[in-house]
Each structure stands twice: as structure tokens, then as C-alpha cells.
């Protein structure tokens, strides 16, 4: 992997495009609309880890923050106080991604640099299963909403589809020309979306999750860092490292697609930040992006309008997560800092 590819890889995160919460919904699920932070906003508290935490999630009850670290551990904190509640550890070379299925599920999966996917029970804090099938590090994982299907994407350029309950391999999907940086499953469990993170112009691919048939391929500037699918299964939003204009700015980094056809609906041409993560708020009104330059941005996804911007620090924002009631936003940065923001 060349230097540009490695920079993109280290910037990539598990978007919270595959959360246990309905945070990737474009359809209203709560009456409360998001109130946005400003450039001068400060986090209510921070957590500092010795290693990068490239994947974070908020539990469906809004009480816990879960983070997967390059140290190889999964930590669970009290979201209100920052108190460490539990640490899940197993032989690991470093966690790259985490995912959960249904909102009340206690099953968590983690992708690992050691080429495996590990399946955990959060209630018992025990490792249930270790799945090995890839020949290189697993970069991204996703679980279907019904909790039955697991998808993993790897540096070996393969996507593997597994029966989560048995660990049996169902499909191996090939076709990307570089490592798989992101996968996402539509809420209805019908479509699998994959993106690659290479330094050349890459594709986003749409697959039939059940048959493994390739449905559509869409061109996107290099380094896919985020995928989000609407709750109504109609819209895909993708974020990438983009085409560099200079050392501080890029173009063609956010695109909005029709999921059923792969048709491009909008290019957020005014955005000049490389994208590491994307979530859509539970009320369906706002898109939030975590950017390589350390900024977090709030957008009206329907119009493409930038609503507000906050800044953590100068290091890339690797992952973001929002609580079900939209009152708490969490972000993790490349330097190992996790920030908790209160939405007014």
C-alpha cells in the first residue's frame, strides 16, 4: 500500500453508518429537531486513550459509549459521566471497526488487524465466536437489522457475508481494485453497499445481500471513508478523501445517491474537507460529518446547505455517534481523544 493509500486508511473510520441506533435515518423518528453547536462550542468532557479509537457507538438506551481501540480492547463508558464501566479484551492486533444489529441487541462484532472478526455478548462481557476467513486485516464490519447476517470487508479486497449465528460463510464478493474500507447494509436487509479506500479513483458497489449479485457500480473520488443509508432504503450518502486541491482542501468528497439505481442525486460541491465519517440524525433532518481537518459539520442533506461547524482539534475526526434523543454527540480523533458534546 502506497503512502497516499496509507494516509487514507489511517483516516478512515466505521461510520456510523452502521450503528445500532437509527442514526442513519432520513425519515423522522422523533419530534425533536437537532439544535446545532457553534464554532466556539466546547465538549462537556473528554476521554483520552493511549491509542487511536477508530470506532465508537452509543448504546440504544443512550446511556453508554462503546469504543474499539487500536490497542485491541473494547471499552464501555458511562455516557453521562465518562466513567469506565467495562473493558473487553482478547488476543488482538488492533480493532478497526465495530457494529451492532437491532437496537436492543447485546451482540457486538469487531473487525481486527489480525484478519478476524470477533463476536461479543455485551451482557456477559464474553467472546462468543472468532471468525477467520480473510487473508489480510479486516477494515470494516456491518450487521443486518435482523441480527442474522454479518458482512466484513478486508485489505484482501474481498467482502465476506456470514451467518452471524453459526459463523458459516455464505458469500465471498470480489470486484474492488483496492482494499475494502466501508460496508453498509440497508435497513430492510436487501442491499449491501461497499466502498474501497485506495489512492486511485474507486467505485462504490451495490450488491444483493442474499444472492451476492452485483447490482450497480458508481464512480467516486478516492478513499471512501463513510457510507450512510436512509431508514426508508432510498438514499445512500457517501464520503471520501476526495481529490486534493491543496494540502488543506479537497473536492468531490460527499455524494448523495439513489440506492435502487445508483443514480447520482447531489454532489456537495461546496464542501472542501476530506470526509472520515457520516451519520444522519434520528429525526432525519441533519447529516453530520467528521472531517480529516478536525472539524465536525452539520448539514441540511436535502439542500446541501452547511448549517454549522465545530472543531475538536487539528487531528482528524475518525468517528462520530449521536444519542437516540439527539442530546449528546460523541467524536473520536486520531490522537486518541474522545469528546462528548451536549447538543443544546
Amino acid at each position: 500500500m502506497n503512502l497516499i493509500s496509507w494516509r487514507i486508511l489511517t483516516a478512515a473510520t466505521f461510520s456510523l453508518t452502521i450503528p445500532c441506533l437509527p442514526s442513519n435515518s432520513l425519515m423522522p423518528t422523533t419530534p425533536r429537531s437537532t439544535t446545532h453547536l457553534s464554532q466556539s462550542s466546547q465538549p462537556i468532557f473528554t476521554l483520552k486513550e493511549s491509542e487511536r479509537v477508530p470506532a465508537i457507538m452509543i448504546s440504544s438506551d443512550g446511556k453508554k459509549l462503546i469504543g474499539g481501540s487500536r490497542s485491541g480492547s473494547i471499552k464501555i463508558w458511562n455516557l453521562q459521566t465518562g466513567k469506565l464501566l467495562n473493558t473487553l479484551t482478547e488476543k488482538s492486533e488492533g480493532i478497526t471497526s465495530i457494529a451492532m444489529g437491532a437496537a436492543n441487541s447485546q451482540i457486538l462484532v469487531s473487525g481486527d488487524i489480525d484478519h478476524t472478526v470477533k463476536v461479543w455478548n455485551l451482557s456477559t462481557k464474553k467472546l462468543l465466536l472468532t471468525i477467520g476467513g480473510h487473508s489480510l486485516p479486516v477494515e470494516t464490519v456491518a450487521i443486518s437489522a435482523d441480527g442474522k447476517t454479518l458482512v466484513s470487508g478486508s485489505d484482501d479486497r474481498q467482502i465476506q457475508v456470514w451467518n452471524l449465528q453459526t459463523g458459516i460463510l455464505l458469500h465471498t464478493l470480489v470486484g474492488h481494485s483496492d482494499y475494502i474500507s466501508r460496508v453498509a447494509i440497508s435497513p430492510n436487509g436487501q442491499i449491501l453497499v461497499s466502498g474501497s479506500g485506495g489512492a486511485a479513483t474507486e467505485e462504490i458497489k451495490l450488491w444483493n445481500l442474499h444472492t451476492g449479485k452485483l447490482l450497480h457500480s458508481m464512480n467516486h473520488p478516492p478513499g471512501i471513508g463513510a457510507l450512510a443509508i436512509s431508514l426508508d432504503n432510498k438514499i445512500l450518502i457517501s464520503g471520501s478523501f476526495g481529490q486534493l486541491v491543496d494540502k488543506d482542501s479537497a473536492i468531490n468528497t460527499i455524494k448523495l445517491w439513489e440506492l435502487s439505481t445508483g443514480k447520482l442525486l447531489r454532489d456537495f460541491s461546496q464542501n472542501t474537507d476530506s470526509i472520515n465519517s457520516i451519520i444522519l440524525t434520528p429525526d432525519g433532518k441533519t447529516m453530520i460529518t467528521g472531517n480529516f481537518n478536525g472539524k465536525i459539520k452539520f448539514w441540511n442533506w436535502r439542500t446541501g446547505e452547511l448549517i454549522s461547524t465545530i472543531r475538536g482539534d487539528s487531528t482528524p475526526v475518525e468517528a462520530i455517534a449521536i444519542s437516540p434523543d439527539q442530546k449528546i454527540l460523541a467524536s473520536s480523533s486520531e490522537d486518541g481523544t474522545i469528546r462528548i458534546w451536549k447538543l443544546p
Side-chain angles (χ1 to χ4, degrees), residues 97-344:
S97 51
I98 57 176
M100 295 179 71
N104 295 320
S105 173
Q106 292 300 306
I107 299 300
L108 176 82
V109 300
S110 58
D112 204 292
I113 293 175
D114 68 6
H115 311 178
T116 68
V117 176
K118 295 178 175 65
V119 183
W120 305 84
N121 185 308
L122 291 180
S123 295
T124 64
K125 314 299 185 297
K126 294 187 179 299
L127 178 67
L128 300 179
L129 188 65
T130 298
I131 300 175
H134 290 287
S135 60
L136 289 172
V138 174
E139 293 294 342
T140 177
V141 290
I143 301 177
S144 59
D146 62 9
K148 296 180 179 180
T149 305
L150 163 69
V151 176
S152 57
S154 168
D155 283 359
D156 63 13
R157 305 182 184 182
Q158 293 187 358
I159 301 158
Q160 295 185 339
V161 183
W162 308 83
N163 182 312
L164 182 55
Q165 297 168 327
T166 65
I168 293 175
L169 179 64
L170 303 176
H171 304 291
T172 297
L173 311 180
V174 295
H176 283 285
S177 60
D178 214 315
Y179 72 93
I180 311 301
S181 57
R182 290 291 175 269
V183 293
I185 301 172
S186 62
N188 63 9
Q190 300 299 311
I191 296 179
L192 166 66
V193 184
S194 60
S196 56
T201 297
E202 293 297 337
E203 291 178 327
I204 294 171
K205 294 184 181 293
L206 308 181
W207 314 80
N208 182 304
L209 180 64
H210 301 293
T211 67
K213 179 182 178 181
L214 179 64
L215 303 175
H216 303 286
S217 294
M218 301 101 80
N219 290 327
H220 194 121
I224 305 302
L227 298 170
I229 302 174
S230 65
L231 190 60
D232 64 2
N233 306 286
K234 292 182 178 180
I235 300 296
L236 167 69
I237 301 178
S238 58
S240 82
F241 194 79
Q243 297 168 310
L244 286 176
V245 177
D246 56 45
K247 67 181 182 65
D248 297 318
S249 63
I251 58 173
N252 296 322
T253 62
I254 309 175
K255 294 181 182 293
L256 188 149
W257 313 84
E258 185 176 61
L259 187 62
S260 61
T261 65
K263 178 183 177 181
L264 180 63
L265 302 177
R266 176 176 299 114
D267 186 341
F268 287 69
S269 58
Q270 76 278 29
N271 185 65
T272 58
D273 295 339
S274 296
I275 300 297
N276 291 340
S277 53
I278 294 174
I279 58 174
L280 302 174
T281 56
D283 65 8
K285 296 180 179 180
T286 306
M287 173 177 74
I288 308 175
T289 60
N291 305 323
F292 190 82
N293 61 6
K295 295 179 181 178
I296 300 169
K297 293 186 175 183
F298 296 77
W299 304 83
N300 181 323
W301 67 268
R302 297 179 185 273
T303 65
E305 175 192 5
L306 176 62
I307 301 169
S308 62
T309 300
I310 60 175
R311 188 176 188 93
D313 57 26
S314 59
T315 63
V317 177
E318 294 207 293
I320 46 179
I322 193 169
S323 61
D325 61 7
Q326 301 185 172
K327 293 182 178 180
I328 298 292
L329 180 73
S331 65
S332 67
S333 298
E334 195 178 65
D335 65 356
T337 302
I338 299 172
R339 293 173 172 82
I340 307 301
W341 312 83
K342 185 173 180 58
L343 296 173

Side-chain angles (χ1 to χ4, degrees), residues 3 68 189 284 321:
L3 180 61

